[in-house]
Amino acid sequence: MIPSFDTGSLHDEENRTFLQDRLAFLGQVGALFFLALGGARAVVLLGRPCADAWGLSGGSRAFLGTAVALAAVWLACRLRCWAAAALRWIDAVSLLSSGAALASLGLERSVFVDASYTMVIDVALILIARAVIVPSSASRTFGWSAAAASPALATMAWNAVRSGRPPGLEAPGAGDAMIQAGWLGAAIALSALASRVTYGLRAEVR
C-alpha cells in the first residue's frame, strides 16, 4: 500500500521537509516564469496606445498576479517551518489563487484570438507543473486541480454568452467553450495521472 503524504505519514519529518521544499521550489519557479511572461508582455506593449483597444493589456496583470501568489508560497516556505496541515493548505490556496488569477485572461477582448485559449494553456501549465513537482495523491490532485480550474470554466461559460465584442468579431460560442473545457479537463486528468506516477515511484523508492 502506498503511504499517503496527505494523512499520517506526512507527520514524518522527512516527508514534511520534502513537501515544504517542493512547495518552495514550485513557488520560486512558477513566480519567475509568470513574472518573466508578464514582464515580457508589458515590454512588448509598452508605448503602444492601441494595446487597450486590442484587448491585450490585461494579460500582464493576470501573469503578475499569479507570480505574486506563487512568490508568497516561496517566501512562506523559506522563512519558517510549517506543520503538515499548514503545508497542505498552502498547497491548496496557492493552486486556487493561481487558477483564479489566470482565469482573468479569458476576460480579455482581443481582436486577434479568443483569449480563452491562452487562459486554458496557462491554467493547464500550472496544474501539470504542480502535479509533477509537489508530492500528492492522485485523488487530492484531481480534486484541487478541478477546483482551481473552476474559475476558468466559469469564464468560458461567460464568454460563450456575453456580448460587447468589437464590431465584426463574434463572441465564442458553445462549441468553442466545449473544446476549451475538453482541453482543460484533459489537463486535470493528466495532472492526476502525473501525481499518481511520481507519487507511486517515490513510495517505491522509500
Side-chain angles (χ1 to χ4, degrees), residues 23-35 63-79 90 94 97-98 126:
L23 284 172
F25 180 65
L26 175 64
Q28 181 183 27
V29 171
L32 292 175
F33 174 78
F34 284 106
L35 182 63
F63 293 142
L64 294 177
T66 306
V68 168
L70 293 172
V73 173
W74 176 40
L75 291 175
C77 291
R78 284 306 180 198
L79 293 177
I90 289 173
S94 66
S97 300
S98 299
I126 193 65

Side-chain angles (χ1 to χ4, degrees), residues 114-141:
D114 176 15
S116 294
Y117 284 101
T118 303
M119 173 188 67
V120 169
I121 292 171
D122 288 301
V123 172
L125 282 175
I126 193 65
L127 295 183
I128 295 173
R130 182 262 174 196
V132 171
I133 295 173
V134 178
S136 174
S137 65
S139 59
R140 177 179 172 84
T141 293

Side-chain angles (χ1 to χ4, degrees), residues 5-88:
F5 284 97
D6 302 325
T7 55
S9 71
L10 186 57
H11 293 280
D12 175 74
E13 182 59 22
E14 181 182 350
N15 286 337
R16 188 207 64 78
T17 301
F18 181 74
L19 176 58
Q20 182 157 342
D21 288 343
R22 285 295 186 161
L23 284 172
F25 180 65
L26 175 64
Q28 181 183 27
V29 171
L32 292 175
F33 174 78
F34 284 106
L35 182 63
L37 204 58
R41 186 167 182 161
V43 169
V44 169
L45 299 177
L46 187 64
R48 296 191 179 186
C50 51
D52 288 329
W54 289 343
L56 298 175
S57 298
S60 295
R61 293 190 290 272
F63 293 142
L64 294 177
T66 306
V68 168
L70 293 172
V73 173
W74 176 40
L75 291 175
C77 291
R78 284 306 180 198
L79 293 177
R80 60 165 290 184
C81 292
W82 296 90
L87 289 173
R88 290 195 295 270

Side-chain angles (χ1 to χ4, degrees), residues 173-186:
D176 293 285
M178 290 178 63
I179 292 172
Q180 294 160 4
W183 281 111
L184 199 52

